[in-house]
Amino acid sequence: ILNVEQSPQSLHVQEGDSTNFTCSFPSSNFYALHWYRWETAKSPEALFVMTLNGDEKKKGRISATLNTKEGYSYLYIKGSQPEDSATYLCAFNTGNQFYFGTGTSLTVIP
Amino acid sequence: DAGVTQSPTHLIKTRGQQVTLRCSPKSGHDTVSWYQQALGQGPQFIFQYYEEEERQRGNFPDRFSGHQFPNYSSELNVNALLLGDSALYLCASSPRPGSPYEQYFGPGTRLTVT
């Protein structure tokens, strides 16, 4: 069983603050790293898929980086808004299976 | 374009019973994966179906079985339910197995075993 760890487990920030989370994964058997945004009572929504070491992806105020050699990915949110409140999941893809972390729960306080 | 749909939304069963959960993939997707998310955990991979066959399986007992139909929809069956089977069951579809392309998730079925 592969271990994918996310930190912090939860986070409360003020509206307008920038924040970041970490996803750690094994450096072997890497195929892709996925980030999902999951609001309560909704389906997880894909944010990014990254496949190459050094990848950087951006969607609006959210961006992500990938380091496959050391086994980590960062997700950044710039100028957090209340609508960013959600659980952010990362998933390590070996090409055969997805291994998910337990997520980072973000609450943005207006 | 309908996304991934799952039914039912919620389900309550008694220990020892059997349950069937259903999933319809996103249009154009032929691969369906099932995940179990227990409280406080990330989603755990149960199995994946492609071309009506189980292609990959996670660390789940044989009480968990599945099926994929010619229209790519899928069922997850759990026999002899245990209290520990209480969880959110997520279905995800993708264009083909093993690809780095995104998996699209349904909203899940919340199973409670009493």
Side-chain angles (χ1 to χ4, degrees), chain B:
Chain B
D1 174 28
V4 179
T5 60
Q6 293 186 242
S7 64
T9 306
H10 295 88
L11 203 51
I12 299 174
K13 290 286 189 178
T14 304
R15 260 183 313 177
Q17 286 188 316
Q18 179 265 344
V19 68
T20 298
L21 310 182
R22 295 177 176 82
C23 171
S24 291
K26 182 178 169 63
S27 178
H29 288 184
D30 56 11
T31 302
V32 173
S33 300
W34 286 93
Y35 294 83
Q36 179 197 67
Q37 189 191 26
L39 195 63
Q41 302 294 319
Q44 300 287 317
F45 175 74
I46 302 174
F47 42 54
Q48 181 183 79
Y49 275 84
Y50 172 64
E51 293 185 335
E52 301 181 48
E53 291 189 10
E54 183 182 295
R55 298 291 178 168
Q56 298 288 337
R57 189 178 182 91
N59 189 27
F60 279 81
D62 292 344
R63 298 187 297 108
F64 290 77
S65 64
H67 188 77
Q68 186 178 34
F69 299 93
N71 66 353
Y72 309 123
S73 67
S74 177
E75 289 182 349
L76 164 65
N77 302 292
V78 187
N79 295 321
L81 284 166
L82 304 174
L83 295 178
D85 295 331
S86 295
L88 180 69
Y89 288 85
L90 292 165
C91 168
S93 72
S94 55
R96 61 179 183 268
S99 95
Y101 299 102
E102 291 303 338
Q103 287 193 333
Y104 290 80
F105 283 86
T109 293
R110 174 73 63 185
L111 172 65
T112 302
V113 182
T114 62

Side-chain angles (χ1 to χ4, degrees), chain A residues 14-67:
Chain A
Q14 293 290 330
E15 182 176 354
D17 286 351
S18 294
T19 187
N20 65 86
F21 329 130
T22 304
C23 174
S24 300
F25 52 86
S27 53
S28 59
N29 295 319
F30 179 85
Y31 192 73
L33 193 284
H34 302 250
W35 282 99
Y36 291 88
R37 179 174 179 274
W38 196 0
E39 292 182 73
T40 303
K42 294 187 177 180
S43 306
E45 171 197 356
L47 288 174
F48 305 114
V49 54
M50 293 182 285
T51 57
L52 298 175
N53 184 43
D55 256 357
E56 294 188 21
K57 300 277 186 176
K58 187 175 182 181
K59 185 183 292 187
R61 295 179 291 98
I62 305 176
S63 60
T65 61
L66 178 68
N67 184 322

